[in-house]
Amino acid sequence: MGLTLIDKTTWQLEAANNNANLYRHMLEAHGIPYECSDELFHTTVLPLPFYSSIVTRLPATKPELINDLTRTATFDLYVKDSFADLSLKQFGFNKLFDACWFHLTETVIEDTSGWEQVKTAQQLEHWETAWKASGNLTDRQMFPPALLTNPNMTFWGFRKAGQYTKGFIGNSSDNSTGLSNTFAGALSPQEFRQMAGLLQAWQPSKSIVGYARDETLHCATQAGFESSGNLTVWVKPFSSS
């Protein structure tokens, strides 16, 4: 691989910024306004389902800054604390979950038979149906066909009996390729290596980053991915009182 990074903190920064880029592509596809600084990616309007209103891009963000940006929100508000170093309980937030960033630099050679790149609006519709059926329940269309024309986004699905049974999204940023939105009946280390191989073929000079937790994280590490540091997602339920 062509990219060499020196420590876990640098990998964590890379993964956080790649994730912020995914947010940018998704919100732009839906016409949702946002702001992006060196420190934060954020939107003051309701974001997409499963997306946070704020993503930190640097460690040691001041909790007071988060509170100032969220003080007037009229919906449940989520913050992705990309370095797991925020203290937000004092402002009415609760931890939703902890997860771990990962990265992969080694070149993967794996049989990827059965996988196909999603290229048409109909394929994307079928892919989204399978993605929702895997537990991502929402009535909203999440992946409009315009995303297929974005050169920094790619969708892959594993087709069996005419249906997608596994899938994932890749997004390319300056120095890395993000692996996200994975779904399958039960992901295995081999499937992680297949996904990595497909992304390396798509962006051969870039390392792969992403995040996961629990059994999905275990599968990723068994496949050769290395952990890069922790992240936390916080939630502040809306109260009209």
Side-chain angles (χ1 to χ4, degrees):
M1 300 292 293
L3 180 65
T4 302
L5 298 178
I6 51 177
D7 58 33
K8 284 191 174 183
T9 300
T10 310
W11 280 117
Q12 196 169 10
L13 285 164
E14 183 63 40
N17 285 306
N18 177 277
N19 187 248
N21 277 333
L22 174 64
Y23 270 58
R24 177 169 61 85
H25 297 315
M26 289 294 296
L27 268 59
E28 285 179 355
H30 286 269
I32 298 174
Y34 65 85
E35 294 184 33
C36 190
S37 66
D38 289 342
E39 196 169 23
L40 295 173
F41 179 100
H42 75 278
T43 178
T44 56
V45 301
L46 185 67
L48 295 167
F50 315 114
Y51 281 71
S52 298
S53 293
I54 296 177
V55 179
T56 61
R57 301 181 65 205
L58 288 175
T61 300
K62 293 180 179 179
E64 292 79 11
L65 175 59
I66 304 296
N67 186 51
D68 288 344
L69 290 171
T70 62
R71 195 188 305 272
T72 60
T74 56
F75 45 84
D76 291 351
L77 202 142
Y78 297 84
V79 172
K80 183 177 288 179
D81 174 7
S82 299
F83 303 89
D85 63 356
L86 290 175
S87 178
L88 295 178
K89 272 191 170 294
Q90 59 186 313
F91 299 119
F93 285 85
N94 297 307
K95 279 190 179 183
L96 185 63
F97 64 81
D98 293 304
C100 183
W101 297 108
F102 57 67
H103 66 272
L104 179 74
T105 57
E106 70 166 279
T107 300
V108 173
I109 300 175
E110 194 74 41
D111 181 9
T112 56
S113 301
W115 289 91
E116 65 181 27
Q117 189 173 16
V118 175
K119 294 184 176 181
T120 70
Q122 185 178 49
Q123 285 178 314
L124 185 58
E125 183 180 350
H126 292 165
W127 187 97
E128 180 166 345
T129 297
W131 176 83
K132 288 179 175 178
S134 71
N136 301 296
L137 299 178
T138 176
D139 292 332
R140 181 161 185 171
Q141 181 193 31
M142 290 290 291
F143 306 105
L147 287 168
L148 297 175
T149 65
N150 185 331
N152 295 307
M153 293 277 291
T154 184
F155 296 79
W156 289 83
F158 185 91
R159 187 179 290 276
K160 184 176 182 181
Q163 296 182 326
Y164 290 127
T165 59
K166 312 168 194 176
F168 66 94
I169 291 176
N171 73 288
S172 175
S173 55
D174 290 342
N175 296 315
S176 60
T177 302
L179 169 61
S180 66
N181 291 269
T182 57
F183 67 87
L187 280 169
S188 69
Q190 182 185 26
E191 286 161 338
F192 261 96
R193 290 183 66 81
Q194 289 172 340
M195 292 185 288
L198 291 165
L199 289 180
Q200 288 175 355
W202 179 57
Q203 297 287 344
S205 64
K206 297 182 180 181
S207 298
I208 299 172
V209 296
Y211 74 90
R213 57 190 174 121
D214 303 331
E215 186 59 31
T216 304
L217 177 62
H218 178 71
C219 285
T221 56
Q222 290 291 304
F225 289 81
E226 298 180 57
S227 63
S228 315
N230 296 325
L231 67 103
T232 299
V233 174
W234 297 83
V235 60
K236 182 179 183 179
F238 172 64
S239 174
S240 57
S241 59

